[in-house]
């Protein structure tokens, strides 16, 4: 009797460790990928629309920034996709779908996406407001090329948030989570409400 209960306890511990590893790596690689995409879009929009790179030494600077952000994006994307794919394949188990770590990841990833959308959207609206109320275009923070970066990053973050919300609804208990998963949802809503 005690041997079977020990094996069940060990199985649950290994399941929790596996969940923690896969969700932690997926979240870290998601954040790294979004940060790299943000930096890459900032540089590329400045080069394409803003005409950056005309000063002495600017070409080397732009090349280094593009290489750093592009390299990070190329590493973070497959790492995220491999871990997220593995997580999604485990959804045949009902316990996986209702796990508190899954809800922590999904609400955390939605929070990251909302944060990126809010910050970049605010920057875009503040710059547009500055111009709309008579600010000089040469003093604008979004001209000549940053408006493209801010708009693309806001749209990407909003689309990513819509995806996480879709995944939460597909789990079948969206808004009705219980036990620790319910605590995670309430914590997410409280933090988002306080920030808002």
């Amino acid at each position: 009797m005690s041997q079977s209960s020990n094996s069940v306890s060990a199985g649950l511990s290994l399941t929790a460790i596996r969940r923690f590893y896969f969700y932690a790596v997926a979240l870290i690689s998601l954040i790294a990928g979004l940060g790299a995409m943000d930096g890459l879009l900032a540089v590329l929009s400045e080069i394409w629309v803003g005409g950056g790179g005309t000063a002495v030494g600017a070409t080397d600077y732009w090349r280094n920034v593009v290489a750093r952000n592009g390299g990070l994006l190329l590493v973070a994307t497959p790492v995220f996709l491999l871990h997220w794919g593995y997580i999604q394949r485990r959804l045949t188990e009902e316990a996986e779908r209702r796990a508190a770590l899954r809800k922590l990841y999904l609400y955390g990833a939605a929070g990251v996406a909302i944060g990126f959308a809010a910050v970049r959207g605010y920057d875009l609206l503040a710059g547009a407001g500055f111009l709309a109320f008579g600010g000089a275009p040469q003093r604008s923070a979004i001209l000549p090329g940053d408006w493209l970066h801010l708009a693309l990053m806001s749209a990407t973050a909003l689309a990513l948030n819509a995806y996480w919300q879709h995944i939460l609804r597909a789990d079948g208990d969206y808004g009705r989570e219980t036990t620790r998963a319910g605590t995670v949802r309430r914590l997410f809503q409280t933090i988002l409400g306080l920030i808002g």
Side-chain angles (χ1 to χ4, degrees), residues 31 38 41 87 103 118 120-121 159 171 174 192:
I31 293 169
D38 187 43
L41 286 174
I87 290 166
K103 301 306 178 185
R120 294 305 177 219
D171 280 353
Y174 184 57
L192 209 60

Side-chain angles (χ1 to χ4, degrees), residues 19 23 95-108 173 177-185:
R19 278 187 191 133
Y23 285 116
E96 188 71 33
R97 191 177 291 273
R98 307 272 186 248
L101 274 172
R102 177 175 176 78
K103 301 306 178 185
L104 182 62
Y105 169 80
L106 290 173
Y107 283 115
D173 62 347
E177 296 94 348
T178 57
T179 63
R180 286 182 282 177
T183 303
V184 168
R185 176 183 43 81

Side-chain angles (χ1 to χ4, degrees), residues 92-157:
T92 56
E93 305 166 18
E94 188 64 24
E96 188 71 33
R97 191 177 291 273
R98 307 272 186 248
L101 274 172
R102 177 175 176 78
K103 301 306 178 185
L104 182 62
Y105 169 80
L106 290 173
Y107 283 115
V112 167
I114 290 168
F116 267 96
V119 169
R120 294 305 177 219
Y122 173 80
D123 291 344
L124 181 62
L125 290 176
F130 174 78
L131 292 171
F133 288 107
Q138 55 271 35
R139 294 188 61 213
S140 169
I142 64 170
L143 292 179
D146 204 36
W147 65 268
L148 179 62
H149 153 243
L150 297 172
L152 288 174
M153 200 60 212
S154 297
T156 301

Side-chain angles (χ1 to χ4, degrees), residues 27-189:
L27 185 61
I28 291 167
S29 60
L30 173 70
I31 293 169
L34 277 173
M37 180 183 287
D38 187 43
L40 192 60
L41 286 174
V43 169
L44 292 178
S45 66
E46 183 62 33
I47 292 170
W48 292 335
V49 180
T54 56
V56 175
T59 304
D60 289 338
Y61 170 76
W62 296 121
R63 185 180 316 124
N64 289 337
V65 173
V66 168
R68 182 176 53 247
N69 287 310
L72 183 55
L73 188 61
L74 284 173
V75 170
T77 301
V79 169
F80 168 76
L81 292 174
L82 286 171
H83 286 78
W84 181 242
Y86 178 82
I87 290 166
Q88 289 297 93
R89 284 192 298 276
R90 303 285 304 197
L91 289 183
T92 56
E93 305 166 18
E94 188 64 24
E96 188 71 33
R97 191 177 291 273
R98 307 272 186 248
L101 274 172
R102 177 175 176 78
K103 301 306 178 185
L104 182 62
Y105 169 80
L106 290 173
Y107 283 115
V112 167
I114 290 168
F116 267 96
V119 169
R120 294 305 177 219
Y122 173 80
D123 291 344
L124 181 62
L125 290 176
F130 174 78
L131 292 171
F133 288 107
Q138 55 271 35
R139 294 188 61 213
S140 169
I142 64 170
L143 292 179
D146 204 36
W147 65 268
L148 179 62
H149 153 243
L150 297 172
L152 288 174
M153 200 60 212
S154 297
T156 301
L158 288 173
L160 195 56
N161 179 53
Y163 174 73
W164 297 127
Q165 297 299 321
H166 167 74
I167 295 295
L168 280 162
R169 282 190 293 280
D171 280 353
D173 62 347
Y174 184 57
R176 298 185 316 272
E177 296 94 348
T178 57
T179 63
R180 286 182 282 177
T183 303
V184 168
R185 176 183 43 81
R186 288 187 290 276
L187 185 62
F188 170 77
Q189 291 171 330

